[in-house]
Amino acid sequence: MKITAKKVLTSAGWAEKQTVEVNKQHIVSIRQANDDELNQCLDGYLIPGFFDTQVNGGGGILFNATTSYEGICQMADAHLQYGTTSMLPTIITDNADVMAKAADAISACIAQQHPQIAGVHFEGPFLSVAKKGVHSAELIRPPSDRELAILCRKDIGRVLTTLAPEHTDAGLIRELVSENVVVALGHTNASYEQARAALDAGASGFTHLYNAMSAMTSRAPGVVGAALSDEDSFCGLIVDHHHVHPASARAAIRAKSAGRMMLVTDAMAHVGSSLTRMPFFDREIMRSGDKLTTADGTLAGSCLDMLGAVINTHRDLGFTLEQAVMMAAATPAAFMGLAQQQGSLAPGQQASMLLLDSASLQIRQTWLAGKAVNLPRRSES
């Protein structure tokens, strides 16, 4: 298969009138188009598909409530229409049985080589009650041997866990990292020093920067200060303008760079569905416009999609489209140790690509692992 486009975002930057050659699931070459190929040239921007490391739900499905292969497929389909070609289905703090069922469902996806499922994100339960957000305080707890064994399974792809370092021993972080678990700090009230110790032990990321973590002040940098001052770690950022003020988001991206800041949705079941109300443990999550909250006003994930995050970052925060796409594709792939397989358009990469309209930036065509995808019609937002 050959795809020729007027502008292609390669791993080296934008290139004009390029032909991308695909063999089965992978890109084999990107080169200047010849005259015959220019007759089939697509108008728009050809970019890599997006990689979302924090997907709680979509298509009316919440992963915690539907821990099955079929449920994951429904979530993945919902997010695919917004450009997410790779994702980590995310389990919010829950009991060990739910964690085990989630791992089994992810294992089935990996065994079936589902092209969108790169692994799993366990957001909790080893968190801080003081910074629990919408997580259930009753389910937050120290790690057990069973739960650690679930995190260290070798049949569930890449594993990301979010934990609070003030309640997790540095030795345990080292052990998890030695088992190829990616450790991020989040839902934490840790001091700067505690966060720094966790980074030194092998933690490499921060979950939804600013939200549910100790703030940065002049004399107490907190977790936010540890994140922004560290050159090597990665940060997730929810650019829906509800979780983080645009000025704060802009400052954080400038501090970290597009190579270390990644866009995430923290999406709930509402994405890709008409759902407005959803039961969540002993509460209810309600949608008002593009904002999700519980009855007391607590933010409860988002109804943001990755295309919306990219457009918000580009148009509202003022970063280039290339930078915004990097934060949605190459950077999360690098965070999860998958930079050699996905996240950019280059030979050897998985051929998951998007063609964006050059004016509206809406998706005109999607290719998933080398196959053109017919997406459902949707209203543009």
Side-chain angles (χ1 to χ4, degrees):
M1 180 179 70
K2 296 180 182 179
I3 302 166
T4 300
K6 285 188 176 180
K7 292 199 73 173
V8 177
L9 184 55
T10 72
S11 56
W14 290 109
E16 295 188 0
K17 299 177 181 177
Q18 300 288 299
T19 293
V20 179
E21 294 193 52
V22 176
N23 182 21
K24 296 182 180 178
Q25 297 185 10
H26 295 92
I27 297 170
V28 294
S29 70
I30 302 177
R31 54 172 176 77
Q32 195 72 37
N34 60 41
D35 290 342
D36 290 339
E37 291 163 344
L38 288 175
N39 293 328
Q40 305 295 321
C41 189
L42 299 173
D43 187 14
Y45 302 131
L46 188 67
I47 65 171
F50 305 140
F51 188 164
D52 191 351
T53 62
Q54 192 170 10
V55 185
N56 310 304
I61 294 291
L62 183 68
F63 191 26
N64 282 66
T66 311
T67 49
S68 66
Y69 174 82
E70 293 75 17
I72 293 173
C73 290
Q74 188 168 330
M75 288 169 52
D77 286 346
H79 285 273
L80 183 60
Q81 63 184 306
Y82 302 103
T84 298
T85 58
S86 191
M87 60 188 277
L88 299 181
T90 302
I91 283 290
I92 300 165
T93 295
D94 213 319
N95 62 54
D97 287 342
V98 169
M99 293 173 66
K101 290 177 182 177
D104 288 342
I106 294 291
S107 178
C109 291
I110 299 299
Q112 293 292 324
Q113 298 183 324
H114 192 299
Q116 283 174 270
I117 307 306
V120 62
H121 180 176
F122 291 101
E123 188 183 359
F126 323 133
L127 307 178
S128 165
V129 172
K131 293 292 184 179
K132 66 181 181 62
V134 76
H135 291 241
S136 173
E138 291 74 21
L139 290 171
I140 291 173
R141 58 194 182 273
S144 69
D145 289 343
R146 181 189 180 195
E147 291 154 354
L148 294 175
I150 293 170
L151 265 60
C152 295
R153 283 176 59 164
K154 305 304 179 186
D155 61 338
I156 55 177
R158 297 295 290 161
V159 179
L160 169 63
T161 186
T162 295
L163 54 80
E166 69 271 35
H167 299 303
T168 310
D169 183 78
L172 179 57
I173 293 175
R174 291 191 189 92
E175 180 181 341
L176 289 171
V177 172
S178 73
E179 293 289 340
N180 294 319
V181 176
V182 179
V183 175
L185 311 184
H187 289 278
T188 168
N189 205 30
S191 66
Y192 169 85
E193 291 76 15
Q194 288 170 318
R196 186 64 256 173
L199 291 171
D200 292 341
S204 57
F206 295 83
T207 296
H208 45 52
L209 184 69
Y210 291 116
N211 300 115
M213 61 179 60
S214 50
M216 181 173 67
T217 65
S218 59
R219 290 183 292 277
V223 175
V224 172
L228 296 181
S229 63
D230 184 71
E231 295 181 355
D232 299 322
S233 59
F234 295 80
C235 294
L237 191 67
I238 307 171
V239 186
D240 64 352
H241 304 333
H242 298 299
H243 282 79
V244 182
H245 190 282
S248 298
R250 189 180 299 114
I253 294 170
R254 287 174 176 167
K256 293 296 291 185
S257 83
R260 286 292 182 270
M261 187 67 76
M262 55 189 178
L263 303 180
V264 299
T265 63
D266 197 19
M268 301 298 269
H270 306 69
V271 174
S273 81
S274 59
L275 194 66
T276 58
R277 305 174 79 92
M278 181 191 78
F280 183 78
F281 294 95
D282 59 349
R283 287 164 287 176
E284 186 176 49
I285 294 174
M286 297 165 287
R287 177 173 184 166
S288 177
D290 62 351
K291 185 178 182 181
L292 300 184
T293 65
T294 56
D296 63 0
T298 300
L299 283 171
S302 85
C303 49
L304 179 68
D305 58 75
M306 284 297 279
L307 179 63
V310 167
I311 291 174
N312 289 348
T313 301
H314 173 48
R315 291 183 170 167
D316 298 343
L317 302 188
F319 292 92
T320 66
L321 181 59
E322 180 179 356
Q323 289 172 314
V325 171
M326 177 184 289
M327 288 184 272
T331 303
F335 173 54
M336 294 307 300
L338 295 171
Q340 299 302 312
Q341 290 81 44
Q342 55 186 279
S344 61
L345 301 186
Q349 292 272 306
Q350 179 174 290
S352 292
M353 303 169 283
L354 312 172
L355 182 70
L356 302 186
D357 183 90
S358 56
S360 69
L361 300 184
Q362 294 299 311
I363 299 170
R364 296 178 56 191
Q365 180 62 60
T366 298
W367 292 266
L368 178 62
K371 294 182 180 179
V373 179
N374 293 319
L375 299 174
R377 292 179 62 86
R378 62 179 177 82
S379 59
E380 296 184 359
S381 58

